[in-house]
Amino acid sequence: MANLKEIRNRISSVSSTMQITSAMKMVSAAKLKKAQDAITAMRPYSNKLTELLQSLSATLDEDTGSKYAVQREVKNVLIVAITSNRGLAGAFNSNIIKEVNRLTNETYANKDVSYIAIGKKANDAFVKTNKVIANKSDLFDNLTFENVSEIAEMLMEKFVTGEFDKIEVVYNHFKNAATQIVLTEQFLPIVPVESDANVNLDYVFEPSKLEIVEELIPKSLKTQLYKGIRDSFASEHGARMTAMHKATDNATELRDQLKLTYNKARQAAITNEILEIVGGAEALNN
């Protein structure tokens, strides 16, 4: 059994760790509320805008279709991996890295795959492959629609010029504080929805349908990427809050076990001292 000093040092160390994890949990809980409100507010707008654009794109013929909906033979693929800059968030980052590796090794096994890292953890995971064409980890220092728009414009340019035939975005979808779902969304080309033959709606477009599509598609793509990053941002705080909550509980349990061990060791030491005194007294009497 460890001596009393060692046990006291371990109790002190665990208590300090517990204070840190508890503080991190409270910080993440405060940030989560703001991030959750932001993503919840923009989801209906983003989803409806994407649905509208997909429906309009599906009605355009191939000759007049948008340049962002061009279907090419997939040879070069770009994966945008969205993680966090910091760890201590459970499996939040590792799940994204696993999914990106799965896409690379299975879905696009015979393709030339490159990466854009949004988050330091993604960059650290893929930088050794020499396939990371851009590291946007500083985005989280000032997460605004304008800054995300610059990244979206870069992605659109790389697709239009033919540098990449397909662009995928992998991120954590925020369901609740304890649950994050890894999603893979096709960013480009735009995926048209299948038209319903039983529904015949006659719309009058002003200006023309093509002009509306060409004007709204860039905005829709920027909004889609911003929603994904915001989703991931909220998921990060939820995952970290949950991880720190579990870490605090584990530290509390370990501290209680160490205190029990300390008390047992202390009692054993006192008992041994009493036995030695009694034994010494009996030896003197004899």
Side-chain angles (χ1 to χ4, degrees):
M1 183 179 292
N3 61 45
L4 295 178
K5 183 178 180 180
E6 290 177 348
I7 298 175
R8 282 199 301 269
N9 289 338
R10 289 192 63 190
I11 291 175
S12 177
S13 176
V14 171
S15 297
S16 298
T17 302
M18 187 176 67
Q19 290 177 348
I20 294 172
T21 56
S22 179
M24 292 182 66
K25 171 191 170 183
M26 290 187 290
V27 170
S28 293
K31 292 182 177 180
L32 172 63
K33 181 63 170 66
K34 184 177 180 181
Q36 183 178 354
D37 290 344
I39 187 59
T40 302
M42 76 170 297
R43 269 181 190 163
Y45 170 77
S46 174
N47 293 339
K48 195 63 181 178
L49 184 60
T50 301
E51 178 185 338
L52 172 64
L53 265 295
Q54 287 178 338
S55 299
L56 285 174
S57 298
T59 63
L60 296 173
D61 56 49
E62 295 182 358
D63 295 331
T64 59
S66 170
K67 57 186 177 182
Y68 300 112
V70 176
Q71 301 287 336
R72 298 191 290 262
E73 181 184 356
V74 178
K75 296 180 180 178
N76 300 305
V77 179
L78 177 62
I79 298 177
V80 182
I82 304 176
T83 62
S84 66
N85 287 336
R86 298 184 298 148
L88 297 177
F92 175 82
N93 292 308
S94 61
N95 286 340
I96 295 296
I97 295 169
K98 286 179 183 178
E99 177 61 15
V100 173
N101 285 330
R102 187 194 67 79
L103 290 172
T104 303
N105 299 324
E106 297 178 15
T107 307
Y108 303 116
N110 299 319
K111 315 297 181 184
D112 187 6
V113 181
S114 300
Y115 311 100
I116 287 182
I118 300 179
K120 185 175 182 296
K121 294 300 179 180
N123 183 66
D124 292 344
F126 303 115
V127 69
K128 294 180 181 179
T129 65
N130 296 320
K131 291 289 186 176
V132 178
I133 64 172
N135 177 18
K136 299 295 182 180
S137 301
D138 58 347
L139 177 66
F140 293 111
D141 296 335
N142 186 20
L143 182 53
T144 63
F145 182 78
E146 289 73 20
N147 291 335
V148 174
S149 295
E150 295 178 3
I151 300 175
E153 289 171 359
M154 176 184 68
L155 297 177
M156 288 185 277
E157 180 182 358
K158 289 183 178 298
F159 177 78
V160 171
T161 57
E163 183 175 349
F164 295 101
D165 306 307
K166 192 174 184 180
I167 299 177
E168 301 264 32
V169 179
V170 183
Y171 66 97
N172 278 293
H173 167 69
F174 178 81
K175 184 176 181 181
N176 54 53
T179 306
Q180 298 81 40
I181 303 171
V182 177
L183 292 184
T184 300
E185 291 184 352
Q186 182 171 315
F187 187 74
L188 287 169
I190 295 173
V191 181
V193 295
E194 296 182 1
S195 58
D196 192 342
N198 298 323
V199 179
N200 185 16
L201 299 177
D202 187 14
Y203 291 103
V204 176
F205 296 95
E206 182 62 36
S208 69
K209 187 189 302 184
L210 180 59
E211 288 181 83
I212 293 175
V213 170
E214 291 293 347
E215 177 70 22
L216 289 183
I217 279 183
K219 182 177 182 180
S220 173
L221 291 172
K222 293 174 183 178
T223 303
Q224 179 184 343
L225 183 61
Y226 184 59
K227 183 203 72 169
I229 295 175
R230 271 289 176 189
D231 226 348
S232 178
F233 190 63
S235 297
E236 175 192 349
H237 292 304
R240 182 168 291 112
M241 186 185 74
T242 302
M244 292 301 99
H245 175 73
K246 292 180 179 178
T248 302
D249 289 347
N250 291 337
T252 302
E253 182 180 352
L254 179 57
R255 183 193 61 181
D256 292 342
Q257 291 176 352
L258 287 171
K259 284 185 176 180
L260 181 61
T261 302
Y262 175 81
N263 290 334
K264 288 181 178 179
R266 186 167 176 269
Q267 289 175 351
I270 293 173
T271 301
N272 288 334
E273 289 177 1
I274 293 174
L275 290 175
E276 289 176 359
I277 294 172
V278 172
E282 289 180 354
L284 291 175
N285 292 333
N286 294 330

